[in-house]
Amino acid sequence: VKTSLTGITPTHIPHIGNYLGAIRPALRLSETYRTAYFIADYHALTTVRDPAALRGHVHDVAATWLACGLDPEKTLFYRQSDVPEVFELSGGRAGVTATGQRERGVAYKDALAKGEAPNAGSFYYPALMAADILLFDTDVVPIGADQKQHVELARDMASRVNHLFGEGTLVVPEPLIGEAPLVPGLDGQKMSKSKGNTIPLFEGGKKLRKLCMSIVTGSETLEEPKPAHGTTVFEIYRQFASEAEVRALEDRLAAGNFGWGHAKAALYELLERSLAPARERFVALRSEPAELDRVLARGAERARQTAQATLARVRARIGVR
Ligand code: TRP
């Protein structure tokens, strides 16, 4: 069985775009792969510098994945900072990594491009991420296209180590860029926290209704027929609806005398209803942070066993103790 591993940076409460783009596909992979999904709290430090907020985001993310159906007995589910072995691998490998490789890292280059003094975090970010991946003999890393380069760096590093110390020292991972739907946000651009156009996954009631009603739409009159495909309301709707519901909404939009307000109300009702069970689980899980910590700590215990086995193999190969 192949291993699929990915990290989730806890910078915000997950939104619908995160769910459709990352959480749902990753959970599907757990049916066919050995899976390890962890909360990359050290990676969040490049943006979150408030300890209470960081802990809160970790709990938001943990409760979200569990509420969406992650089974911590099946999937290795842990917090990165509970697995210190990551640092030995990322630091130890520094001796065989060219600085040029790190300078090409996207996070580092982005900071330079914005005229910011890149902090060392963005410089070492890819090295830490590579250790996250390589420590678990990962075969595939499901990620968004923006993270592809980081996985390629991990590949390069693993190949280099294997070249120096023998094949099989590290497993060379591959990025897995799923055909995640492009989920538009309230303003029609890609849904993303930094754009402020998100629908939080577990929002409900009046707030959810208000968000749905604020989606930007075309300016057709009530009577006019309207396109479905490519519109924000429809593209989000189709991700949660049954085939019959999708067709019905398409037909109503095409027929005219059905306004965008009606379509938004239909979207609101669909989200309210289809996310209700997970929303209830989320609220219950999120109200017990100590229990979430226990789930993550149990996962970390198992993760450390795997990590230590990998480290023992690597140490023996490279000649350190
Ligand atoms: N950098 C990733 C992101 O921001 C999160 C991450 C950290 C990660 N370590 C990882 C993803 C290892 C995959 C594998 O999305």
Side-chain angles (χ1 to χ4, degrees):
V1 192
K2 294 200 167 182
T3 297
S4 153
L5 169 144
T6 199
I8 308 99
T9 312
T11 52
H12 59 278
I13 186 157
H15 53 70
I16 283 182
N18 298 135
Y19 173 70
L20 297 172
I23 302 175
R24 194 166 74 176
L27 291 175
R28 285 194 184 138
L29 285 177
S30 69
E31 290 158 21
T32 45
Y33 284 81
R34 187 166 75 96
T35 39
Y37 297 145
F38 70 96
I39 304 178
D41 51 352
Y42 269 109
H43 278 104
L45 279 179
T46 48
T47 52
V48 185
R49 271 76 182 265
D50 169 343
L54 181 58
R55 274 191 287 271
H57 292 323
V58 168
H59 293 139
D60 287 339
V61 169
T64 299
W65 281 72
L66 294 167
C68 291
L70 181 143
D71 174 358
E73 298 300 321
K74 244 174 86 183
T75 294
L76 218 39
F77 188 52
Y78 56 95
R79 199 194 227 128
Q80 181 186 38
S81 59
D82 279 335
V83 183
E85 285 76 9
V86 165
F87 288 95
E88 180 175 341
L89 189 63
S90 95
R93 235 199 13 250
V96 298
T97 313
T99 50
Q101 237 172 19
R102 294 186 175 189
E103 280 161 5
R104 284 193 297 274
V106 277
Y108 183 75
K109 281 202 308 196
D110 275 2
L112 279 186
K114 280 192 233 147
E116 295 166 5
N119 73 29
S122 58
F123 194 64
Y124 289 108
Y125 190 108
L128 184 59
M129 183 158 156
D132 291 332
I133 296 169
L134 301 176
L135 202 48
F136 291 90
D137 290 343
T138 302
D139 297 291
V140 299
V141 186
I143 28 119
D146 60 320
Q147 294 291 320
K148 186 164 177 237
Q149 191 203 19
H150 291 145
V151 180
E152 272 155 11
L153 273 170
R155 271 179 79 78
D156 290 351
M157 291 177 182
S159 305
R160 173 137 179 86
V161 167
N162 287 348
H163 173 72
L164 292 169
F165 301 106
E167 281 312 310
T169 307
L170 290 169
V171 172
V172 182
E174 261 179 70
L176 185 71
I177 316 264
E179 275 158 44
L182 207 128
V183 183
L186 300 176
D187 58 358
Q189 292 189 62
K190 180 177 188 239
M191 189 182 289
S192 123
K193 187 217 167 203
S194 59
K195 295 206 181 83
N197 62 0
T198 66
I199 301 179
L201 181 58
F202 293 131
E203 203 62 271
K206 279 203 187 112
K207 280 197 188 152
L208 176 62
R209 190 181 171 87
K210 207 167 152 216
L211 284 171
C212 289
M213 298 317 278
S214 76
I215 293 173
V216 176
T217 62
S219 47
E220 296 93 342
T221 62
L222 172 71
E223 294 77 22
E224 279 177 282
K226 300 166 186 66
H229 291 259
T231 68
T232 305
V233 177
F234 180 75
E235 293 303 327
I236 298 178
Y237 186 92
R238 72 191 300 185
Q239 293 298 329
F240 292 93
S242 68
E243 267 177 49
E245 287 170 322
V246 172
R247 242 175 292 119
L249 182 62
E250 261 176 298
D251 290 347
R252 273 193 253 149
L253 283 166
N257 278 320
F258 183 79
W260 282 118
H262 298 125
K264 294 187 206 183
L267 174 64
Y268 159 68
E269 269 150 37
L270 175 70
L271 292 177
E272 183 71 59
R273 163 166 60 81
S274 55
L275 290 168
R279 188 184 305 124
E280 275 163 34
R281 287 195 293 274
F282 173 81
V283 171
L285 288 157
R286 187 63 184 82
S287 70
E288 304 272 7
E291 181 51 31
L292 291 170
D293 284 336
R294 270 193 292 279
V295 171
L296 293 172
R298 274 199 298 273
E301 242 172 73
R302 287 165 52 214
R304 292 191 70 185
Q305 286 170 15
T306 307
Q308 283 162 11
T310 308
L311 271 186
R313 186 183 71 224
V314 173
R315 287 195 200 109
R317 290 283 188 104
I318 66 182
V320 301
R321 278 170 53 102

